[in-house]
Amino acid sequence: MLLALHSLFVISLFNPHFWECSCQASEFNLDGDYLIGGLFPVHYTPDIAQTRRPEAVNCLEKPLHLRGYHGLQVMRFAVEEINNSTTLLPNVTLGYQLFDHCYDTNNFPAVLQVLSINSSVTPRQMYTHYHPKVIAFIGAFSSSETITLAPMFMMDLFPMVSYAASSSTLSDKLVYPSFIRTTPSNEDQMELIIHIIKHYGWNWVAFIGSKSEYSENGFQLFLKLIPSTGICLGYQELLADTSQLNTVFHKIDKLNINVIILFLEPLFAEDVIASAIRLKFHNKVWIASDAWAMNQVLPKLRDIQTIGTVIGVTPTVANLPGFNEFIYQSRHRSDSVYTAEGYCNQVCDNCSSVSPEEIINENPTYSFPIYSAVYTMAMALHNALQCNNSGCDKSRTVYPYMLLQEIRHLQFPLNQFFISFDNNLDPPARYSIVFWDTSVHPAKIWPIGTYSNYPVVNLTISNTTLPWHGNGMVPFSNCSFECRPGHVRQQDGQHKCCFSCVQCSTDQYANHSANMYSCLRCDKEEWSEAGSTSCQKRSVEYFQLSDGYAIVLMVFASSLMVLSLAVAVLFAIHRSTPVVRSAGGSMCFLMLGCLSVSPIGVFFYFGEPSSFSCVARDMLYVFFYTVCLSCLFVRSFQIICIFKMAAHFPKAHALWVKYSGQWLMVAAISLLQLLLCSIWMATSPPVPIEDVSLVKHQIVLRCVVSYITPVTLTTGFMWILSGLCFCFSYMGTDLPKNYNEARAITFSMLLFCLSWAIFYTAEFMSYSTSAQVVKIVVELSSLYGIMLSYFIPKSFIIVFQPLKNTQEYFQAAIQSYTQTISRM
């Protein structure tokens, strides 16, 4: 677009036929100080819609393109406003020259005329000395046209300001260094569309575009931005001339997609919506891109309400104070005068039928971008000419590249907005979100939200209930229903939005805000039921000293220790009596000492386990019980030797007595068990652990061993020894009663085996603190078994039956046994 001096409207047409219009010679003037060129689509472009609109005819037979005509009037208004300002460009007048285009190829004559000097375009070597007839160019309208024309301006750093081309491709300053735009880029628009989709909870959408730079760029940006948003593109279509909309609509219906992003140019959008009405493709949510969100034709269509709901995004519309009055004044001027030059002012034969109301009420989407584009050029020129209140330095020669340098640093208020550009010479994104109310006819378009990304991202959407199609609720457009609490998604197919739901297992929970596809594990100190959304703290379980059963067990252990010491004192007082000698003499004191030390291990079961308590509780019992067991084994073996083997093996018996065979045997057994215990402690000592596998809501503090073999050897040795004791005691069941401990040893060994069998069964079925209680009871019962069956009867004789504790009584028993044996 070219700026003309003194607000004169000059249109140079390069259509197949000139747009014939007349102008008044008194108002025609191109001798302004600085000119700006401009390109507007004043007529429809049938080449775009010819195959989709059979009724389209050549542009001169179509009505005037009101959107383009409205735009060029906004530019004229801005130029006149600047020229009437006493502060912006004092003593400098802007001029313009406007070009209409009907076909894309007809853009080139206009551009070449702008770039020409004396009607010729010559190669240049230095852009710093390039001085064309205009200092900047505003346009073109679409991204495709802009990308086609832009290379002609870029080589000379000629400012090309677009008011509608939104393709993000143009943000690449290595390719388009002097391209500036006053409308947000597609990337900003696509981010807003994604925000809207997420706001309403949709994730299953379709994208319909065309094979144009605008649509293809928007589609690529959408694919780039959605991976981390949870949105899935269920269907996409870039329409070509041969595309069949009935097939497209059928596929969308089959996929159960209810939200459609319609990222199309206005004519294509009009055709798609009209076809949706005709083909009865109803009850969808249409997200309109900025190109047609404020369309003035579609709301008037019959049955528009059947398509569903339309939500659009559009650059924020700003009021232009004085614009309406400007249009009324322009349209009510005197009749035009025909001229053959092809130039005309705003009063044209071909435009005279357009009323001021039609211009004012036309789609205002790009009004402010055009208005701000002119002001951007003016502000850059203001800085380049070093203007102040007294005027501008007109002696300075302003080249196009100088304007580009100034534009990079521009920051100025305009109406209610603040104009600035980023490093890509793109403006901040300022959008309005609009809603088409189809409950009335024609449909009304009203705003429901705003969006901006400067200085921070700010999205507002009205919470007022919208008149959605159907039941009035927000339509559902998700591939799958959301999982219930405690369940996570299991993806079905290639789309993450399509999934089945799986319940989280025990000790796991579902947190949809953190991870929708995996159950999260509870911490070690926590637990959860299957299908939970959070974890609960586990209680810590171990033997407390204050527990009732702990006190009872410690009382029993203490009683055994006291009883063992009391029996030892009693035996020491009567150590020379036959009962004490028959019980083992001095070996009884070793046994009683072991019985008094072994219960100490019980006390290490209570309180929080430690490495020392884990070792002490097992070692004290295993070793000292084995020593006591070895004494019983030797005692039973010795009695058998005296009464049954002495006569048959006198030499062996003599050696046994001479070398104190009983003590050697006890020492050997004790040392062997001590060696096995040392191997156990060296290779796999019991260590405290926090076990969370036993009880779901508890942390059980207990002692475990890493390897079972060493502990198996020590306990196995105890079992072997107890078995031998049982065998020898069974062999001595017919001995004299006073020398016969068979019943006592048999009882204690059977109690030992039965108790430990019960413990292992309980531990195998379910390990818990109750199993530990069973273990303590087993240890105490095996110790009490020896005490009660072996020592208490003898203590009873010493205290209450002293007549049986005499030499004569024992001699009589031995003689009776000898006579019985001799008769056999």
Side-chain angles (χ1 to χ4, degrees):
M1 296 184 284
L2 298 173
L3 287 177
L5 185 57
H6 296 304
S7 307
L8 296 181
F9 179 34
V10 182
I11 301 179
S12 178
L13 299 172
F14 295 93
N15 292 324
H17 304 281
F18 282 110
W19 176 21
E20 295 182 355
C21 54
S22 58
C23 58
Q24 296 178 354
S26 60
E27 294 185 355
F28 175 71
N29 190 348
L30 288 179
D31 295 331
D33 295 312
Y34 291 95
L35 295 180
I36 298 177
L39 193 65
F40 286 99
V42 178
H43 287 92
Y44 284 109
T45 51
D47 56 317
I48 295 178
Q50 208 163 27
T51 56
R52 310 202 60 80
R53 288 177 163 276
E55 74 277 10
V57 293
N58 117 8
C59 62
L60 292 180
E61 298 174 353
K62 290 295 293 181
L64 190 68
H65 196 315
L66 281 176
R67 185 186 64 216
Y69 190 66
H70 174 92
L72 65 86
Q73 294 292 354
V74 170
M75 181 179 174
R76 292 182 55 250
F77 168 71
V79 172
E80 285 204 7
E81 194 173 72
I82 292 168
N83 286 338
N84 290 330
S85 171
T86 58
T87 58
L88 185 53
L89 289 174
N91 74 342
V92 173
T93 305
L94 289 181
Y96 56 86
Q97 187 171 7
L98 303 178
F99 297 89
D100 176 33
H101 69 85
C102 182
Y103 295 95
D104 290 344
T105 54
N106 291 330
N107 294 331
F108 286 98
V111 172
L112 293 175
Q113 181 171 332
V114 167
L115 298 176
S116 67
I117 301 175
N118 297 324
S119 300
S120 65
V121 178
T122 58
R124 292 170 298 278
Q125 296 180 347
M126 297 294 292
Y127 67 87
T128 55
H129 292 86
Y130 173 50
H131 198 192
K133 87 169 59 166
V134 298
I135 58 171
F137 187 85
I138 296 179
F141 175 77
S142 72
S143 296
S144 298
E145 295 164 350
T146 303
I147 289 176
T148 302
L149 301 177
M152 303 176 69
F153 297 97
M154 299 302 108
M155 66 182 72
D156 296 309
L157 298 183
F158 190 100
M160 181 182 189
V161 186
S162 177
Y163 55 90
S166 57
S167 172
S168 63
T169 303
L170 294 163
S171 295
D172 187 350
K173 294 301 106 177
L174 293 177
V175 181
Y176 304 100
S178 62
F179 175 80
I180 308 108
R181 60 175 141 218
T182 54
T183 189
S185 71
N186 277 349
E187 187 165 3
D188 296 323
Q189 180 177 186
M190 200 53 66
E191 288 177 351
L192 172 55
I193 290 174
I194 289 172
H195 278 302
I196 294 173
I197 294 172
K198 292 174 64 178
H199 176 82
Y200 290 111
W202 301 317
N203 64 20
W204 191 233
V205 301
F207 187 103
I208 298 180
S210 65
K211 293 186 179 297
S212 66
E213 173 61 28
Y214 172 75
S215 290
E216 290 181 352
N217 178 251
F219 176 64
Q220 293 303 322
L221 288 170
F222 187 70
L223 291 180
K224 171 187 171 183
L225 294 173
I226 62 172
S228 61
T229 63
I231 298 172
C232 294
L233 182 60
Y235 178 78
Q236 73 238 20
E237 185 73 36
L238 296 180
L239 300 175
D241 293 340
T242 57
S243 298
Q244 298 297 319
L245 286 175
N246 57 341
T247 303
V248 173
F249 295 155
H250 175 72
K251 290 179 180 178
I252 292 175
D253 263 339
K254 189 175 181 180
L255 290 169
N256 294 319
I257 299 173
N258 292 322
V259 174
I260 303 169
I261 302 171
L262 199 58
F263 208 85
L264 284 170
E265 296 83 352
L267 290 178
F268 262 116
E270 291 173 12
D271 190 35
V272 171
I273 297 299
S275 298
I277 297 173
R278 185 179 68 256
L279 297 172
K280 302 186 184 305
F281 183 63
H282 296 163
N283 299 325
K284 302 295 180 182
V285 175
W286 303 82
I287 298 181
S289 65
D290 61 351
W292 68 279
M294 300 291 289
N295 189 281
Q296 304 296 300
V297 176
L298 291 176
K300 301 174 184 178
L301 292 182
R302 183 180 177 183
D303 296 329
I304 183 65
Q305 73 279 1
T306 63
I307 67 169
T309 301
V310 179
I311 296 176
V313 299
T314 181
T316 301
V317 176
N319 291 326
L320 303 180
F323 178 69
N324 294 356
E325 292 78 3
F326 172 79
I327 295 299
Y328 280 112
Q329 291 174 4
S330 298
R331 301 304 296 149
H332 292 154
R333 290 181 183 177
S334 60
D335 292 338
S336 58
V337 179
Y338 184 84
T339 179
E341 280 81 0
Y343 298 104
C344 64
N345 60 9
Q346 65 271 22
V347 185
C348 306
D349 289 338
N350 200 33
C351 351
S352 57
S353 61
V354 179
S355 69
E357 289 75 16
E358 288 179 298
I359 300 174
I360 292 171
N361 295 328
E362 180 52 30
N363 183 351
T365 300
Y366 301 106
S367 297
F368 188 75
I370 296 170
Y371 183 77
S372 59
V374 178
Y375 266 87
T376 295
M377 294 294 100
M379 290 299 299
L381 190 58
H382 173 93
N383 294 339
L385 291 174
Q386 299 179 350
C387 298
N388 52 40
N389 292 333
S390 60
C392 301
D393 185 0
K394 298 181 70 171
S395 64
R396 294 174 59 90
T397 302
V398 178
Y399 296 100
Y401 81 92
M402 298 172 65
L403 290 184
L404 181 62
Q405 290 177 336
E406 297 296 340
I407 291 172
R408 291 185 180 277
H409 306 98
L410 278 183
Q411 291 185 355
F412 63 96
L414 185 62
N415 289 2
Q416 69 266 43
F417 296 112
F418 192 78
I419 306 300
S420 63
F421 300 93
D422 61 17
N423 293 333
N424 295 324
L425 294 177
D426 292 335
R430 287 186 290 261
Y431 281 99
S432 293
I433 305 168
V434 296
F435 182 87
W436 289 26
D437 184 1
T438 58
S439 62
V440 296
H441 188 80
K444 300 297 183 183
I445 302 176
W446 39 278
I448 60 170
T450 61
Y451 173 82
S452 63
N453 64 359
Y454 182 84
V456 295
V457 174
N458 183 27
L459 172 68
T460 60
I461 297 180
S462 173
N463 292 324
T464 304
T465 302
L466 300 178
W468 299 95
H469 65 270
N471 58 7
M473 304 295 291
V474 176
F476 180 81
S477 186
N478 297 68
C479 186
S480 302
F481 287 94
E482 283 299 328
C483 295
R484 292 179 295 160
H487 295 67
V488 293
R489 299 175 179 181
Q490 186 175 66
Q491 186 173 333
D492 294 336
Q494 62 175 338
H495 293 290
K496 281 192 173 183
C497 302
C498 304
F499 51 84
S500 55
C501 296
V502 179
Q503 186 183 53
C504 291
S505 60
T506 305
D507 292 337
Q508 295 182 339
Y509 68 100
N511 185 347
H512 292 171
S513 61
N515 192 327
M516 290 187 172
Y517 293 89
S518 298
C519 295
L520 305 178
R521 296 200 64 85
C522 295
D523 293 336
K524 187 177 181 181
E525 297 79 15
E526 299 175 330
W527 73 283
S528 68
E529 297 280 5
S532 297
T533 58
S534 62
C535 297
Q536 305 176 44
K537 293 292 292 185
R538 295 178 187 267
S539 60
V540 180
E541 186 71 15
Y542 61 90
F543 282 120
Q544 302 282 349
L545 289 170
S546 58
D547 292 341
Y549 55 82
I551 295 174
V552 172
L553 292 174
M554 287 189 289
V555 168
F556 271 96
S558 301
S559 300
L560 180 58
M561 294 169 63
V562 173
L563 186 60
S564 299
L565 293 175
V567 172
V569 171
L570 180 65
F571 274 37
I573 295 173
H574 300 85
R575 60 182 177 276
S576 60
T577 61
V579 170
V580 175
R581 291 200 305 271
S582 68
S586 57
M587 191 170 287
C588 290
F589 297 102
L590 177 61
M591 294 173 64
L592 290 169
C594 291
L595 290 177
S596 63
V597 175
S598 289
I600 296 176
V602 172
F603 294 91
F604 291 101
Y605 280 94
F606 308 112
E608 188 172 342
S610 63
S611 298
F612 176 76
S613 63
C614 287
V615 172
R617 67 172 65 168
D618 289 329
M619 281 294 292
L620 288 172
Y621 173 77
V622 170
F623 179 72
F624 287 103
Y625 183 78
T626 301
V627 174
C628 185
L629 202 59
S630 67
C631 293
L632 289 177
F633 167 72
V634 169
R635 179 60 187 155
S636 60
F637 178 74
Q638 187 174 0
I639 293 173
I640 295 299
C641 288
I642 292 173
F643 288 96
K644 291 193 174 185
M645 298 180 64
H648 300 286
F649 304 99
K651 292 184 178 181
H653 181 262
L655 292 174
W656 176 270
V657 174
K658 180 179 179 180
Y659 294 105
S660 301
Q662 58 180 352
W663 289 106
L664 291 175
M665 183 65 72
V666 169
I669 292 173
S670 300
L671 289 175
L672 179 57
Q673 183 66 307
L674 181 62
L675 177 62
L676 292 176
C677 287
S678 299
I679 294 173
W680 175 20
M681 294 299 114
T683 57
S684 179
V687 292
I689 65 164
E690 297 179 348
D691 198 332
V692 297
S693 61
L694 300 176
V695 185
K696 64 182 180 182
H697 60 277
Q698 290 181 345
I699 300 175
V700 180
L701 304 182
R702 66 188 188 100
C703 302
V704 297
V705 294
S706 302
Y707 303 103
I708 197 66
T709 303
V711 67
T712 303
L713 292 176
T714 56
T715 54
F717 184 66
M718 290 172 57
W719 280 81
I720 292 172
L721 202 59
S722 64
L724 291 175
C725 288
F726 180 82
C727 292
F728 284 128
S729 64
Y730 181 79
M731 291 172 63
T733 53
D734 58 346
L735 294 178
K737 184 177 180 180
N738 286 1
Y739 285 90
N740 189 359
E741 285 86 11
R743 291 188 182 87
I745 297 174
T746 301
F747 172 78
S748 60
M749 294 303 100
L750 285 176
L751 183 61
F752 170 82
C753 295
L754 180 62
S755 300
W756 281 100
I758 293 173
F759 166 70
Y760 286 126
T761 301
E763 186 178 43
F764 176 77
M765 292 180 64
S766 175
Y767 187 95
S768 62
T769 52
S770 60
Q772 288 293 298
V773 173
V774 173
K775 185 178 180 182
I776 296 173
V777 172
V778 166
E779 291 182 1
L780 289 176
S781 64
S782 60
L783 295 172
Y784 268 103
I786 296 174
M787 172 60 70
L788 297 177
S789 64
Y790 193 84
F791 289 104
I792 295 302
K794 293 175 172 46
S795 299
F796 182 82
I797 292 174
I798 293 173
V799 176
F800 298 105
Q801 296 177 340
L803 295 178
K804 292 182 180 182
N805 191 17
T806 60
Q807 191 70 29
E808 293 78 10
Y809 184 82
F810 275 80
Q811 286 292 342
I814 293 172
Q815 289 176 3
S816 175
Y817 177 76
T818 303
Q819 291 173 2
T820 302
I821 291 298
S822 62
R823 287 195 295 269
M824 291 177 65

